[in-house]
């Protein structure tokens, strides 16, 4: 079983842009937004994935991700529960770790979040100077929730 251990933070400044190694546009929608299990379809550039995630316990949850044909992902996005979330994800290496910075578009425009995936919940990591407040446990910042209660509506 795959386990995802992830911490999420607001981004406090644009200084992260200087360290970007790669950026990809994402379109993602949810076939299930049940907190006990989410099922997401995602277009990431020219690739597509179906992801099943279990309930979050602390910063960890079960995660299973499978590549799917792009045409299938486009068809699945059309039948998702709620609007599609659009964002650009940039990879930002910092002191031996890679941060994923998501710059949201559309109804979530103005929201910029940074995530780091860890091997253990207590793994130490260096915090880049552009990192803001941690929002790991705040359900408002979960992508499945941003689909139906976008940032611009808060």
């Amino acid at each position: 079983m795959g386990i995802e251990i992830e911490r999420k933070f607001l981004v406090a400044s644009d200084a992260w842009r200087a360290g970007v190694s790669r950026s990809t546009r994402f379109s993602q929608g949810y076939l299930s937004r049940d907190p006990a299990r989410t099922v997401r379809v995602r277009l990431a550039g020219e690739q597509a994935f179906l992801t099943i995630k279990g309930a979050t316990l602390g910063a960890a949850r079960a995660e299973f991700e499978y590549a799917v044909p792009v045409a299938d992902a486009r068809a699945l996005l059309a039948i998702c529960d709620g609007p599609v979330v659009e964002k650009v994800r940039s990879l930002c290496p910092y002191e031996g770790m890679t941060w994923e910075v998501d710059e949201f578009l559309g109804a979530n425009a103005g929201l910029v979040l940074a995530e780091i995936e860890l091997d253990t919940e207590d793994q130490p990591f260096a915090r880049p100077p552009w990192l803001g407040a941690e929002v790991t446990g705040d359900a408002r910042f979960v992508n499945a929730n941003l689909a139906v209660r976008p940032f611009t509506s808060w």
Side-chain angles (χ1 to χ4, degrees), residues 10-11 102-113 151-152:
L10 294 173
V11 172
D102 289 341
E103 193 171 12
F104 289 83
L105 307 170
N108 288 296
L111 179 60
V112 183
L113 296 173
F151 177 69
T152 56

Side-chain angles (χ1 to χ4, degrees), residues 72-107:
D72 289 1
R74 290 187 197 285
L76 289 169
L77 283 170
I79 62 168
C80 283
D81 177 25
V84 171
V85 173
E86 302 281 347
K87 61 187 179 180
V88 174
R89 173 166 286 171
S90 298
L91 302 182
C92 299
Y94 184 79
E95 294 195 19
M97 303 287 287
T98 299
W99 289 84
E100 297 173 340
V101 177
D102 289 341
E103 193 171 12
F104 289 83
L105 307 170

Side-chain angles (χ1 to χ4, degrees), residues 49-142:
F49 302 92
L50 187 65
T51 306
I52 300 104
K53 295 186 180 192
T56 301
L57 303 170
R61 63 182 164 179
E63 179 183 56
F64 305 90
E65 186 166 77
Y66 307 96
V68 297
V70 169
D72 289 1
R74 290 187 197 285
L76 289 169
L77 283 170
I79 62 168
C80 283
D81 177 25
V84 171
V85 173
E86 302 281 347
K87 61 187 179 180
V88 174
R89 173 166 286 171
S90 298
L91 302 182
C92 299
Y94 184 79
E95 294 195 19
M97 303 287 287
T98 299
W99 289 84
E100 297 173 340
V101 177
D102 289 341
E103 193 171 12
F104 289 83
L105 307 170
N108 288 296
L111 179 60
V112 183
L113 296 173
E115 301 175 352
I116 188 167
E117 292 201 15
L118 304 170
D119 294 324
T120 64
E121 286 195 56
D122 61 351
Q123 178 181 346
F125 58 90
R127 294 174 185 244
W130 43 260
L131 205 62
E134 184 165 7
V135 295
T136 299
D138 190 334
R140 295 177 301 165
F141 296 99
V142 173

